[in-house]
Amino acid sequence: TVSAKITGKVSEVLIEEGQRVEAGEILARLEPTDAQAQRAFAQAQLSASRSQVAQVQAQLKLAEQTLARQRDLAARKLVAQSMLDQAQAEHDSLRAQLASAQRNVGVADASLHLSDIGVDNTVIRAPFAGVITVKAAQPGEIVSPMSAGGGFTRTGIGTVVDMDSLEVQVDVNE
C-alpha cells in the first residue's frame, strides 16, 4: 500500500486498477497550498537575508575606508587615539554583523531546502515498478501516513504489486 508522507487532502489521483506503473511515477497529488506558502515564506526570508548581507557589506566598506583614513591621520598626529579606536571598533562590529548575516543566509537557504521537501511530499510516487491492484483514494479525501483511529482518513492511495516477485505457497497433503 502506497501512502503519502504527510497528511493532506487528495487533489488528484492518476491511477486505475490494473494499470502498470514505473518506479518514481506519480500516483497522486495532495493539495500543495500550505507547502507552497511555506516555500514562498522561506524564499522571502532568504531574499531578506541576502539583502542584509549586501547592506552590511556596504557599511563595512565605508568603515574600512574610515579606518584607513583615521590610521593615516593618527600616524600624522592629527586626530586623537580615541577617534582611531572608535573607527576600529565600528569596523570590528560590522565584521561581526557580516558574519552573522552570512550565517543567517545559510539558515534561510536550509529552510528553503526543507520547504522544497515539504512541497515534494505533496506528490505521491510509486516506490517500485508494478501493477496497481487497489485504488484506495479519491480526490477530496484526506490521506495520512498513519491511521486516525476510526475517522474518515485513509492511510493509502493504492496498492502496487511487483508481479515479478510474487511467490505462491501451497499446502499439499501427503
Side-chain angles (χ1 to χ4, degrees), residues 81-158:
Q81 181 65 32
S82 64
M83 295 295 286
L84 177 61
D85 293 343
Q86 183 179 357
Q88 182 69 50
E90 184 176 338
H91 176 265
D92 294 345
S93 172
L94 286 170
R95 252 214 163 107
Q97 285 179 25
L98 179 60
S100 176
Q102 288 170 334
R103 282 191 298 275
N104 287 342
V105 167
V107 170
D109 191 45
S111 176
L112 179 60
H113 178 68
L114 193 61
S115 65
D116 284 339
I117 292 170
V119 170
D120 189 55
N121 284 343
T122 64
V123 178
I124 298 128
R125 301 177 193 280
F128 52 84
V131 176
I132 303 296
T133 58
V134 176
K135 178 181 175 181
Q138 298 294 328
E141 292 182 322
I142 304 294
V143 293
S144 177
M146 59 192 116
S147 177
F152 295 103
T153 304
R154 295 202 178 272
T155 56
I157 295 294

Side-chain angles (χ1 to χ4, degrees), residues 5-16:
K5 290 182 181 180
I6 59 172
T7 300
K9 185 177 179 182
V10 178
S11 64
E12 66 179 327
V13 179
L14 305 170
I15 57 171
E16 292 297 329

Side-chain angles (χ1 to χ4, degrees), residues 25-116:
E25 186 175 333
I26 297 173
L27 305 179
R29 296 181 199 277
L30 303 181
E31 284 188 357
T33 308
D34 293 341
Q36 287 175 341
Q38 286 179 336
R39 188 191 184 291
F41 180 70
Q43 182 68 49
Q45 283 182 319
L46 180 59
S47 295
S49 295
R50 287 182 176 153
S51 295
Q52 186 180 15
V53 166
Q55 178 186 8
V56 173
Q57 284 175 332
Q59 290 174 345
L60 182 60
K61 184 177 178 181
L62 177 63
E64 286 171 349
Q65 292 170 348
T66 302
L67 179 60
R69 267 190 238 108
Q70 291 296 338
R71 282 184 180 152
D72 184 44
L73 293 173
R76 290 193 261 160
K77 305 282 188 206
L78 297 174
V79 293
Q81 181 65 32
S82 64
M83 295 295 286
L84 177 61
D85 293 343
Q86 183 179 357
Q88 182 69 50
E90 184 176 338
H91 176 265
D92 294 345
S93 172
L94 286 170
R95 252 214 163 107
Q97 285 179 25
L98 179 60
S100 176
Q102 288 170 334
R103 282 191 298 275
N104 287 342
V105 167
V107 170
D109 191 45
S111 176
L112 179 60
H113 178 68
L114 193 61
S115 65
D116 284 339

